Amino acid sequence: MIRLLSLLNFVAVWFHNSKARRFVECEESVKFTRNAFVYNHGDKKNIKLGSHVLIDGIIECYEKGELIVGDFSYIGRARVFAAHCVDIGKGVYISDGVVVMDSDLHPISGRKRYDDLVAWRRDGVFPDVYTDIIYKKTVLADFVWVGANVSILKGVTIGEGAIIAAGSVVTKDVEAWTIVGGNPAKLIREIPEHER
C-alpha cells in the first residue's frame, strides 16, 4: 500500500511539473511542487527559470511582463507578480507568505477599479494592468534571503546577500550585505565579511 501511495504521489508530481513547464522557459532540473501555480498571461519566453530552481508558490507574469529567476533559487509559498520586470538572482530564498511586485496592478481611481472588477466578473474581461498604472523593475540580487510574510514593492532593488526580516515591508532599495526589517524596512545591521 505504501509503495502504491508513493507511486501515485510520484505520478502526481511528475504530471504537475510537466504541466507547469508548458508556460515557462526552463531546464529539466527545475521543479514545481504540487502547491506551485504558473499564471502566464503572455508568451512562454516571458518567464525564464534558471537551473535547479524550486517553485512552491505562485508566479504570475502579465503579457508585457518579464520574470527571471536565477539558478538554485527557491520560491516558497509566496506570490511573485511581474507586469513589467522582476529579476531574481541566483541562490535566492523567498520564504512563505512573501509578495514581490513590480506594479500597483490596479489604478488609483476607485471607480476604475470597480469598473474593472465588474467587467472581469460579469463579462470575463481581465483587468488592464497597464493603463494609468505605475510599474518599475524590481530586483533581488544574488544570495538574498527574504523572511516569511514580507512585501517587496515595485521599483525596489535588494542588494547581494541582503536579508529581509520576517513581516517587513520593503519600499526602498536595500544595500548589499545588510539585514533590514520593519514597516517600512530599515537597517538593522551590516553583515560582516566573515558571515558572508
Side-chain angles (χ1 to χ4, degrees):
M1 183 61 148
I2 292 174
R3 281 188 171 186
L4 178 61
L5 290 175
S6 293
L7 178 63
L8 289 173
N9 186 53
F10 172 79
V11 170
V13 170
W14 174 84
F15 177 76
H16 192 74
N17 272 282
S18 61
K19 185 178 174 188
R21 284 178 203 291
R22 294 189 318 207
F23 303 104
V24 302
E25 282 188 359
C26 68
E27 296 180 7
E28 198 60 35
S29 63
V30 171
K31 298 293 180 219
F32 300 89
T33 70
R34 292 170 75 171
N35 301 313
F37 285 93
V38 176
Y39 298 106
N40 189 344
H41 305 282
D43 194 79
K44 181 177 180 173
K45 67 179 173 41
N46 292 17
I47 301 176
K48 297 175 186 77
L49 306 178
S51 69
H52 297 88
V53 168
L54 176 59
I55 307 290
D56 190 34
I58 300 169
I59 56 176
E60 185 163 7
C61 190
Y62 296 91
E63 61 182 301
K64 299 177 189 173
E66 181 179 30
L67 174 58
I68 303 161
V69 181
D71 299 343
F72 294 94
S73 287
Y74 168 72
I75 298 175
R77 292 188 185 174
R79 189 151 188 170
V80 179
F81 296 92
H84 175 59
C85 182
V86 174
D87 189 346
I88 298 170
K90 68 181 179 185
V92 172
Y93 281 79
I94 298 177
S95 301
D96 293 353
V98 172
V99 176
V100 179
M101 305 181 77
D102 65 357
S103 167
D104 291 338
L105 292 178
H106 303 287
I108 297 294
S109 165
R111 170 57 67 186
K112 176 72 171 106
R113 287 193 311 272
Y114 176 79
D115 291 346
D116 283 350
L117 186 56
V118 168
W120 184 24
R121 299 306 303 139
R122 187 182 58 209
D123 306 325
V125 177
F126 193 78
D128 176 6
V129 298
Y130 293 102
T131 305
D132 299 326
I133 298 172
I134 300 168
Y135 53 87
K136 296 178 183 174
K137 182 176 183 176
T138 301
V139 177
L140 283 68
D142 297 344
F143 316 121
V144 166
W145 175 17
V146 182
N149 301 312
V150 168
S151 294
I152 299 172
L153 304 184
K154 69 181 179 301
V156 167
T157 295
I158 299 175
E160 181 178 13
I163 298 173
I164 313 301
S168 298
V169 178
V170 183
T171 61
K172 295 181 180 174
D173 291 353
V174 175
E175 294 293 322
W177 303 108
T178 60
I179 300 174
V180 301
N183 180 6
K186 294 184 177 171
L187 179 66
I188 295 172
R189 72 175 177 96
E190 293 184 15
I191 301 171
E193 191 71 40
H194 73 279
E195 291 184 314
R196 298 179 189 179

